[in-house]
Amino acid sequence: MNVAEAVGRVLASLGVDTAFGVVGSGNFHVTNALIEHGVRFVAARHEGGAATMADAYARTGGRVGVLSVHQGPGLTNAMTGITEAAKSRTPLIVLAAEVTEPRSNFFVDQAALATAVGAVPLRITSAETAAAQTAQAFHLARDGRRTVLLNLPLEVQSRPVPSPPAPVSQASPPSVPASPASAPPGHVALASVSGSPGSSEPGSPGSSEPEVREVARLAELLGAARRPVFVAGRGARAARRELEELAERIGALLATSAVAKGLFRGSPWDLDVSGGFASPLTAELVRGADVIVGWGCALNMWTMRQGTLIGPEAKVVQVDLDADALGAHRPIHLGVVGDVALTARSVTTLLTGGGDDLRPAPAVRDGSGGEAPAVPEGAPGEPGVPGGSDPGARGVPGGGGYRSVGLAGRIARENRWRDVPYDDEGGEGRIDPRTLTIELDDLLPAERVVSVDSGNFMGYPSMFLGVPDERGFCFTQAFQSIGLGLATAIGAALAQPDRLAVAALGDGGALMGVAELETVVRLGLAMVIVVYDDEGYGAEVHHFGPDGHSLDTVTFPPVDIAAIARGFGCEAVTVRDRADLAAVAGWLDGPRHRPLLIHAKVSGARGSWWLEEAFRGH
């Protein structure tokens, strides 16, 4: 057994079940080793698509993703997808062949590339340490929620391993010698990265317990809150039960960032997404909060609408595994370093009398590095109703705090975007994208996983398509690149084969990633691909057009995207009005042997309000 074979064997033994990539001479052997040991390999048509598939598979499947690429151009082709994954803290291992001879055509400083985009560069350095170094990379990806570039030098890959790798424990990383001083610049010593933040899964290896005094301060602040709102982000996706229990105790309303959409689906207090995609009611209620807690959420310009959703008197709290995330985007009153589920459980215990009393604790960190403002002392409120009681809340499960019978009714009637009146702008052969998406929401089965590309259109599927839970929405938008949506949907579809995968794309992103239509067909995925076609890069059209700039560079003649899809082997329908959607219903009722592409000719008379918010932040 050589090093390449040992790497594949170790990853398979650690539970890796699927890998994505494009095979070249440099990653041929490690890819075949993965397959030999039971790992499914998904061949993409471009490394950029493969990277995004692996990212989405990890996000929606709760697994460590694996990407296999050729040295040099194989890696550079994948860099946009790797950047998205790194920015999103996706647990992903990139297996990249590497040449170390600068005179080679394939040479590039691969470690520097990884460092530049926020991934962690590691390297297999010898046959003797290959198995342990591979396991260390896996644990860093999983427990530290990091995207790891594991470089496999060609001259090392072929070296014989002294003996077959022993089984490697999934629970604790083995001890690994640091990379030698001769390693290329940018390579991180494996032993130096093993203490990364823990995962968000309660009780998982590396889980982070919050400090007692921080828990006490948070409990005191929430106990005094009258209108608390929780905003859950990526780091809270495994903590629904704990957050709902705490929210019930204090009467908090529940919202999410876009990447955690669906987390509280089914709760009568679910406000859906906070930020640019927030409904008018959600914006009103978040803005009216006296305490906003971001649970594993950055509370950035997107989630807080440039800060306009934070009321002038509101206290802002962040709970995050990463201390550097606290206060990174705006001043906070309290920052708690810890696992979301463990922190929420600890606060609930204190508020229900299961811990020490809530006497003021020592001051803790705030966003500026100083002391957090003191929380007003006093009784939390009436017994059983922390923070006081709204008379209308009696009889409502979880009543109290921000909750009341009247508000529950408003949320049920008004909070969905489809319940907000609008003037339909369809006609002359084009359908209003809101009307299109509402109709699709009614047609498509509830058990779905929706993947959304970037662009002017992106709010329509994000706001008007419901999802069953946090695993039903995959939003690869941390790098704001268009062209990732179709590959995202492929990864999400493979992670959740029991759900209908829905890809929502603009015409620009669809044509940019069109090669992966062949992958969809080859894999036999019964996927619905919706292309919102306004014949241009809509964000730029509506950003620059009003100022009188020429739009020749961002508008294009009509393209028959439906015909292109049929050429790849998809079924396809062009939609210009509601009546055309009958073909979609027919496909849903049929055997679904081939994927369906919906080429929607959408009206594009105006820019999206969510991108107007975004452009103010650039």
Side-chain angles (χ1 to χ4, degrees):
M1 176 177 293
N2 62 27
V3 166
E5 293 164 344
V7 170
R9 176 172 175 168
V10 168
L11 288 175
S13 73
L14 286 167
V16 170
D17 60 9
T18 303
F20 300 81
V22 176
V23 175
S25 60
N27 65 323
F28 181 85
H29 295 297
V30 71
T31 303
N32 280 341
L34 289 166
I35 296 169
E36 179 184 346
H37 291 285
V39 176
R40 171 178 54 175
F41 180 71
V42 180
R45 284 298 188 170
H46 190 277
E47 289 92 348
T52 302
M53 292 174 202
D55 181 3
Y57 185 81
R59 295 188 197 208
T60 59
R63 306 170 177 90
V64 174
V66 172
L67 169 67
S68 177
V69 295
H70 185 63
Q71 64 268 23
L75 179 62
T76 58
N77 279 347
M79 285 311 298
T80 296
I82 292 170
T83 303
E84 169 64 35
K87 286 179 174 287
S88 298
R89 294 295 291 267
T90 299
L92 176 66
I93 298 173
V94 181
L95 300 174
E98 182 187 31
V99 296
T100 55
E101 170 52 59
R103 289 171 293 185
S104 168
N105 288 350
F106 289 123
F107 178 79
V108 65
D109 190 341
Q110 297 187 175
L113 286 175
T115 301
V117 302
V120 179
L122 303 178
R123 194 183 200 211
I124 300 296
T125 57
S126 72
E128 291 74 19
T129 59
Q133 289 175 326
T134 302
Q136 192 83 347
F138 176 88
H139 286 289
L140 174 58
R142 186 192 67 181
D143 303 337
R145 296 181 299 117
R146 300 299 299 271
T147 293
V148 178
L149 170 64
L150 184 59
N151 281 313
L152 308 175
L154 295 180
E155 68 273 16
V156 176
Q157 283 194 47
S158 58
R159 292 176 186 168
V161 175
S163 59
V168 181
S169 169
Q170 293 196 33
S172 58
S175 124
V176 182
S179 299
S182 59
H187 275 284
V188 178
L190 281 161
S192 71
V193 292
S194 60
S196 298
S199 94
S200 60
E201 299 282 353
S204 65
S207 291
S208 179
E209 292 274 4
E211 291 185 12
V212 173
R213 65 172 188 168
E214 293 181 347
V215 171
R217 285 296 302 275
L218 179 55
E220 184 179 27
L221 194 154
L222 290 177
R226 304 284 299 184
R227 298 180 308 281
V229 169
F230 289 175
V231 183
R234 179 181 296 107
R237 294 178 76 223
R240 172 172 178 162
R241 178 172 59 84
E242 291 83 358
L243 290 177
E244 285 192 323
E245 288 177 355
L246 177 56
E248 177 98 358
R249 178 70 179 87
I250 65 170
L253 304 182
L254 301 164
T256 71
S257 65
V259 293
K261 178 180 172 69
L263 178 61
F264 301 115
R265 189 65 72 246
S267 167
W269 310 109
D270 177 22
L271 301 181
D272 201 38
V273 176
S274 172
F277 297 157
S279 70
L281 179 60
T282 293
E284 171 192 331
L285 294 172
V286 175
R287 193 177 289 117
D290 62 347
V291 175
I292 297 172
V293 185
W295 298 92
C297 178
L299 299 180
N300 58 23
M301 70 176 188
W302 310 104
T303 310
M304 290 290 108
R305 284 193 187 177
Q306 310 287 352
T308 62
L309 294 186
I310 301 173
E313 304 301 322
K315 293 182 172 62
V316 179
V317 180
Q318 272 185 277
V319 179
D320 204 285
L321 283 171
D322 186 354
D324 292 337
L326 303 179
H329 293 276
R330 62 193 67 261
I332 59 175
H333 293 78
L334 175 64
V336 180
V337 177
D339 174 87
V340 167
L342 295 177
T343 302
R345 190 184 305 149
S346 298
V347 173
T348 302
T349 298
L350 277 182
L351 289 173
T352 53
D356 297 333
D357 61 39
L358 300 184
R359 289 172 295 183
V364 295
R365 64 178 66 88
D366 67 6
S368 64
E371 291 189 350
V375 179
E377 297 184 27
E382 298 178 12
V385 189
S389 173
D390 180 334
R394 293 187 176 92
V396 180
Y402 217 162
R403 302 181 178 189
S404 70
V405 171
L407 183 55
R410 285 194 69 194
I411 292 172
R413 293 190 308 271
E414 303 175 31
N415 199 56
R416 295 187 307 170
W417 267 105
R418 64 184 298 159
D419 298 325
V420 178
Y422 67 93
D423 295 325
D424 191 294
E425 296 176 351
E428 299 183 355
R430 292 193 172 271
I431 188 170
D432 189 303
R434 295 165 292 188
T435 301
L436 166 73
T437 315
I438 290 170
E439 293 290 326
L440 290 174
D441 191 45
D442 290 338
L443 283 171
L444 299 175
E447 284 300 309
R448 63 183 75 150
V449 53
V450 177
S451 301
V452 182
D453 207 339
S454 190
N456 186 65
F457 79 96
M458 63 192 285
Y460 301 117
S462 300
M463 298 187 300
F464 290 92
L465 283 182
V467 294
D469 53 34
E470 76 283 358
R471 296 175 64 243
F473 192 69
C474 198
F475 197 64
T476 46
Q477 301 290 332
F479 197 34
Q480 292 182 251
S481 172
I482 71 169
L484 306 186
L486 182 56
T488 298
I490 295 171
L494 292 172
Q496 301 184 80
D498 56 328
R499 298 186 178 191
L500 177 68
V502 181
L505 321 173
D507 53 306
L511 292 172
M512 190 176 289
V514 72
E516 301 306 345
L517 280 179
E518 189 277 335
T519 305
V520 177
V521 173
R522 171 166 37 89
L523 295 176
L525 299 177
M527 180 186 295
V528 172
I529 303 158
V530 188
V531 180
Y532 293 74
D533 182 10
D534 60 4
E535 297 174 4
Y537 292 132
E540 285 69 30
V541 167
H542 297 295
H543 183 51
F544 297 111
D547 294 330
H549 297 290
S550 171
L551 301 176
D552 292 345
T553 57
V554 292
T555 55
F556 303 92
V559 174
D560 191 343
I561 297 175
I564 293 172
R566 293 188 193 101
F568 277 100
C570 301
E571 293 188 35
V573 57
T574 299
V575 173
R576 298 179 181 274
D577 56 36
R578 280 189 176 94
D580 294 330
L581 290 167
V584 178
W587 182 87
L588 290 167
D589 291 337
R592 307 183 193 177
H593 289 319
R594 296 189 294 170
L596 174 68
L597 185 138
I598 302 169
H599 180 198
K601 306 291 281 188
V602 297
S603 56
R606 67 183 67 214
S608 57
W609 59 93
W610 56 87
L611 277 182
E612 290 176 5
E613 293 281 345
F615 283 132
R616 283 202 287 271
H618 290 284

